[in-house]
Amino acid sequence: MKVRPLHDRIIIRRVEEEETTAGGIIIPDTAREKPQQGKVVAAGKGRLLENGILTPLAVKEGDLVLFNKYSGTDVKIEGEDLLIMHEDDVLGIIE
Amino acid sequence: MKVRPLHDRIIIRRVEEEETTAGGIIIPDTAREKPQQGKVVAAGKGRLLENGILTPLAVKEGDLVLFNKYSGTDVKIEGEDLLIMHEDDVLGIIE
Amino acid sequence: MKVRPLHDRIIIRRVEEEETTAGGIIIPDTAREKPQQGKVVAAGKGRLLENGILTPLAVKEGDLVLFNKYSGTDVKIEGEDLLIMHEDDVLGIIE
Amino acid sequence: MKVRPLHDRIIIRRVEEEETTAGGIIIPDTAREKPQQGKVVAAGKGRLLENGILTPLAVKEGDLVLFNKYSGTDVKIEGEDLLIMHEDDVLGIIE
Amino acid sequence: MKVRPLHDRIIIRRVEEEETTAGGIIIPDTAREKPQQGKVVAAGKGRLLENGILTPLAVKEGDLVLFNKYSGTDVKIEGEDLLIMHEDDVLGIIE
Amino acid sequence: MKVRPLHDRIIIRRVEEEETTAGGIIIPDTAREKPQQGKVVAAGKGRLLENGILTPLAVKEGDLVLFNKYSGTDVKIEGEDLLIMHEDDVLGIIE
Amino acid sequence: MKVRPLHDRIIIRRVEEEETTAGGIIIPDTAREKPQQGKVVAAGKGRLLENGILTPLAVKEGDLVLFNKYSGTDVKIEGEDLLIMHEDDVLGIIE
């Protein structure tokens, strides 16, 4: 079972700090409870431009991304807390 | 008897939690009274772009969708409480 | 004597609840005094797009429509209370 | 002596209720002091679109129009109180 | 010495009521101290549209114009109080 | 050493009143501490339009300009107080 | 390990005042704790225009830039405090 985000939306699973200290990216203290990074679990087909053309998103399933702390909508899918947001709320991709 | 939504609007029948626990999608506690998912019972012909072209909607009749809790307008059609909203208020399609 | 609405505006005659219970569409209790449906008595020639093209409206004279409760401007024409609104304020067409 | 309105603006002379009861259009009670209709005494050359094209206005000199009560700017020309507004503030043309 | 307004801006010298009663245009009482008309003493080259095209202004040096009372920026040039505003703030040209 | 402003931004060195009384342009009393004119010391390459075209700015290095009193951002470069603003904040060029 | 900013975003490492007094650029007193300049450590692929074209950014990795004091989002990457902002928040490039 799956949720397919519409257009330029993506679904994100928050990544807890414990997983990331090894990789080297640490969330600042003031943001401890609500980390600013997560893994993209689903991405929409693209952004619909005013001329009718659909441009594919820059993020894709599996990407580890940084995002603004108050971005997106919380949603529970199959018992798991996930986040749905617009790609524009993503600050960058962690490589 | 039917209501045909205009342009990029869709009509949604809210899906109660009891129906969804089997399927696996559970609405978070704080949203119990007003679930964030529903079935599309009618969809408009599409979004009218600034260049005059009509692009068809990504959701269609029968889709099970997630939407923002305060989205749309409540309306009663043939004794049933439904919701009319813009497709942009739909977060994703449950597959 | 007639009023021709400009561009994307339409003129609506509110339909009272008594007429609609037969047809099956019932207005919710909280909206009793100001029903959310009416008959289109006149429609403008269309929406003027930014590229200069006029696109015809999706609603036409005679359509029975649903609309947001606080939409439009009240106006009295030949002693009758009517409503002028933009087509965008129309939620859907009752068929 | 004349004032030529710029672009999409028009100049309107308010029509008092006494003139209109014969013709059949009556202004609602709450709007008695500031009627919502008037005669167009001058109209601009048209709306300048973002692509540089000028589209002519839909209202012309001599039209009797309905307009939103608080629209436009009051101006006194040759001792007469007139109103300058954008064509978009016109709700419809009385025919 | 001269100031050349940029793009769609114009420079206006306010015209006092004394000069205009002869010509017939009278400013309403409530606007006595800050008249709503003036002479254009300089006009910019035109409005820059989003497609990169410059469209010339509709007002030109020497025009007598009506404008909104609180429009523009006061500036003193060679000891004289003038007003710089966008052409859009001009309501009409007095002919 | 130099700062190159981005896109449609310009860098301005405020011109004090003493320098301008000779030339004839006097700043009104209420604006004495923060004069509304200055010399352009650097200009960006141009404004990026929505169609991807870069249009060159109308002001260039060396121009003496008028600008809105609260426009721009103060910055100190090589010990000197300068101002960085968008070209749109420039009212006109003093010739 | 690296973070790649999306679209028109850039990542900046703040430059402390001590490093810049030699080079001649001094941050004003009121901005001492939060300097307005920094080095670009990563830049997005470009700005996505409404016509679907991606235009490359004007700043690139290694540029020393001036930016508005309250611009961007603070983020800690590999233990280092960095800043992610839109290119539009960059005032100019220090050469």
Side-chain angles (χ1 to χ4, degrees):
Chain A
M1 183 177 184
K2 235 182 105 180
V3 174
R4 172 161 56 86
L6 272 201
H7 305 304
D8 63 330
R9 284 190 172 91
I10 58 175
I11 305 184
I12 286 178
R13 177 184 299 120
R14 283 191 190 83
V15 175
E16 300 301 327
E17 199 193 345
E18 290 75 47
E19 302 179 29
T20 57
T21 45
I25 293 201
I26 300 158
I27 304 306
D29 290 355
T30 57
R32 281 275 154 89
E33 315 82 276
K34 284 216 156 198
Q36 284 175 303
Q37 62 179 287
K39 186 150 272 185
V40 177
V41 298
K45 277 183 180 166
R47 192 184 322 269
L48 186 66
L49 302 178
E50 262 311 305
N51 57 13
I53 289 171
L54 190 90
T55 53
L57 298 185
V59 301
K60 57 178 196 308
E61 205 185 311
D63 281 347
L64 188 63
V65 294
L66 284 174
F67 51 88
N68 279 314
K69 202 174 152 182
Y70 299 108
S71 296
T73 302
D74 290 296
V75 67
K76 190 174 270 203
I77 301 179
E78 300 192 304
E80 185 181 23
D81 289 312
L82 298 173
L83 201 51
I84 297 186
M85 66 178 68
H86 291 282
E87 193 206 53
D88 270 353
D89 295 320
V90 171
L91 301 170
I93 301 177
I94 302 168
E95 289 174 334
Chain B
M1 183 178 184
K2 236 183 103 180
V3 174
R4 173 161 56 86
L6 273 201
H7 305 304
D8 64 329
R9 284 190 173 91
I10 59 174
I11 305 184
I12 286 177
R13 176 185 298 119
R14 282 192 190 81
V15 176
E16 300 301 327
E17 198 193 345
E18 291 75 45
E19 302 178 29
T20 57
T21 45
I25 292 200
I26 299 157
I27 303 306
D29 291 355
T30 57
R32 280 276 154 89
E33 315 82 276
K34 286 217 154 199
Q36 284 175 304
Q37 62 179 287
K39 187 150 270 185
V40 178
V41 298
K45 278 183 180 167
R47 192 185 321 270
L48 186 66
L49 302 179
E50 263 311 305
N51 57 12
I53 289 171
L54 190 89
T55 53
L57 297 185
V59 302
K60 57 179 196 309
E61 206 185 310
D63 281 348
L64 189 63
V65 295
L66 284 174
F67 51 87
N68 279 315
K69 202 174 152 181
Y70 299 108
S71 296
T73 302
D74 290 295
V75 66
K76 190 174 272 205
I77 300 179
E78 300 193 305
E80 186 182 22
D81 289 312
L82 297 173
L83 201 51
I84 298 186
M85 65 178 68
H86 291 282
E87 193 206 52
D88 270 352
D89 295 320
V90 171
L91 301 171
I93 302 177
I94 303 167
E95 290 175 332
Chain C
M1 183 176 184
K2 236 183 105 182
V3 174
R4 173 160 56 84
L6 273 200
H7 305 304
D8 65 329
R9 284 191 172 90
I10 59 175
I11 305 185
I12 286 177
R13 176 186 299 120
R14 282 192 191 81
V15 176
E16 299 301 326
E17 198 194 344
E18 291 75 46
E19 302 178 29
T20 59
T21 45
I25 293 200
I26 300 158
I27 304 305
D29 291 356
T30 57
R32 280 276 153 90
E33 315 80 277
K34 285 215 154 201
Q36 284 175 306
Q37 63 178 287
K39 187 149 269 183
V40 177
V41 299
K45 278 182 179 166
R47 193 184 320 270
L48 185 65
L49 302 178
E50 262 311 304
N51 57 13
I53 289 171
L54 191 88
T55 54
L57 297 186
V59 302
K60 57 179 195 308
E61 206 185 309
D63 281 348
L64 188 63
V65 295
L66 284 174
F67 52 88
N68 279 316
K69 202 175 152 183
Y70 299 108
S71 296
T73 303
D74 289 295
V75 67
K76 190 174 269 204
I77 300 179
E78 300 193 304
E80 187 182 20
D81 289 313
L82 297 173
L83 202 51
I84 298 185
M85 66 179 66
H86 291 281
E87 193 206 53
D88 269 352
D89 295 320
V90 171
L91 301 171
I93 301 178
I94 302 167
E95 290 176 332
Chain D
M1 183 177 185
K2 237 182 104 182
V3 174
R4 173 160 58 84
L6 272 200
H7 305 304
D8 65 329
R9 284 192 173 91
I10 58 174
I11 305 185
I12 286 177
R13 176 185 299 119
R14 283 191 189 82
V15 175
E16 300 300 328
E17 198 194 344
E18 290 75 44
E19 301 178 31
T20 59
T21 45
I25 293 199
I26 300 158
I27 304 305
D29 292 355
T30 56
R32 280 276 154 89
E33 315 81 278
K34 285 215 154 199
Q36 284 175 306
Q37 64 179 285
K39 186 149 270 183
V40 177
V41 298
K45 279 183 179 165
R47 193 185 320 270
L48 185 66
L49 302 178
E50 261 311 304
N51 56 13
I53 288 172
L54 191 89
T55 53
L57 298 185
V59 303
K60 58 179 195 307
E61 206 184 309
D63 282 348
L64 189 62
V65 295
L66 284 174
F67 51 88
N68 279 316
K69 203 175 152 183
Y70 299 108
S71 295
T73 303
D74 290 295
V75 68
K76 190 174 270 203
I77 300 179
E78 300 192 305
E80 188 182 20
D81 290 313
L82 297 173
L83 202 50
I84 298 185
M85 66 179 66
H86 291 281
E87 194 207 52
D88 269 353
D89 295 320
V90 171
L91 301 171
I93 301 178
I94 302 167
E95 289 175 333
Chain E
M1 184 177 182
K2 238 182 104 181
V3 174
R4 173 161 57 85
L6 271 201
H7 305 303
D8 65 330
R9 284 191 172 91
I10 58 174
I11 305 185
I12 286 177
R13 176 185 298 120
R14 283 192 189 83
V15 175
E16 299 300 327
E17 198 194 342
E18 290 75 44
E19 301 178 30
T20 58
T21 45
I25 293 200
I26 299 158
I27 303 306
D29 291 355
T30 56
R32 279 278 152 89
E33 315 80 278
K34 285 217 155 198
Q36 282 175 306
Q37 62 180 287
K39 186 149 270 185
V40 177
V41 298
K45 278 182 179 165
R47 192 184 322 270
L48 186 65
L49 303 178
E50 261 311 304
N51 56 13
I53 288 171
L54 190 89
T55 54
L57 298 185
V59 302
K60 58 179 194 308
E61 206 185 311
D63 282 348
L64 189 62
V65 294
L66 284 173
F67 52 86
N68 279 316
K69 202 175 152 181
Y70 299 108
S71 296
T73 303
D74 290 295
V75 68
K76 191 174 269 204
I77 301 180
E78 300 192 305
E80 188 182 20
D81 289 313
L82 298 172
L83 201 51
I84 297 185
M85 67 179 65
H86 291 281
E87 194 206 52
D88 269 353
D89 295 320
V90 171
L91 302 170
I93 301 178
I94 302 167
E95 288 175 333
Chain F
M1 184 178 180
K2 237 183 105 180
V3 174
R4 173 160 57 86
L6 272 201
H7 304 303
D8 65 329
R9 285 190 172 92
I10 58 175
I11 305 184
I12 286 177
R13 177 185 297 121
R14 284 191 189 83
V15 176
E16 299 301 326
E17 199 194 343
E18 290 75 45
E19 302 178 30
T20 57
T21 45
I25 293 200
I26 300 158
I27 303 306
D29 291 356
T30 57
R32 280 277 153 89
E33 314 81 278
K34 284 218 156 198
Q36 281 175 307
Q37 61 179 288
K39 187 150 271 184
V40 177
V41 298
K45 278 183 179 167
R47 191 184 322 271
L48 186 66
L49 302 178
E50 261 311 306
N51 56 14
I53 289 171
L54 191 89
T55 54
L57 298 185
V59 301
K60 58 179 195 309
E61 205 185 310
D63 281 348
L64 189 62
V65 294
L66 284 173
F67 51 88
N68 279 316
K69 201 174 152 182
Y70 299 108
S71 297
T73 303
D74 290 295
V75 67
K76 192 174 271 205
I77 301 179
E78 300 193 305
E80 188 182 21
D81 290 313
L82 298 173
L83 202 51
I84 297 186
M85 66 179 67
H86 290 282
E87 194 206 53
D88 269 352
D89 295 320
V90 171
L91 301 170
I93 301 178
I94 302 168
E95 288 176 333
Chain G
M1 184 177 181
K2 237 182 104 182
V3 174
R4 172 161 56 87
L6 272 201
H7 305 304
D8 64 330
R9 284 191 172 91
I10 58 174
I11 305 184
I12 287 178
R13 176 184 299 120
R14 283 192 189 83
V15 175
E16 300 300 327
E17 199 193 343
E18 290 74 46
E19 303 178 29
T20 58
T21 45
I25 293 200
I26 300 158
I27 304 306
D29 290 356
T30 57
R32 280 275 155 91
E33 315 81 277
K34 284 216 155 198
Q36 283 174 306
Q37 61 179 288
K39 187 149 271 184
V40 177
V41 298
K45 278 183 179 165
R47 192 183 322 269
L48 186 67
L49 302 177
E50 262 311 307
N51 57 13
I53 289 171
L54 190 90
T55 54
L57 298 185
V59 301
K60 57 179 195 308
E61 205 185 310
D63 281 348
L64 189 62
V65 295
L66 284 174
F67 51 87
N68 279 315
K69 202 174 151 182
Y70 299 108
S71 296
T73 302
D74 289 296
V75 67
K76 191 174 272 205
I77 300 179
E78 301 193 305
E80 186 182 22
D81 290 312
L82 298 173
L83 201 51
I84 297 186
M85 65 178 68
H86 291 282
E87 193 206 55
D88 270 352
D89 294 319
V90 171
L91 301 170
I93 301 178
I94 301 168
E95 289 174 334

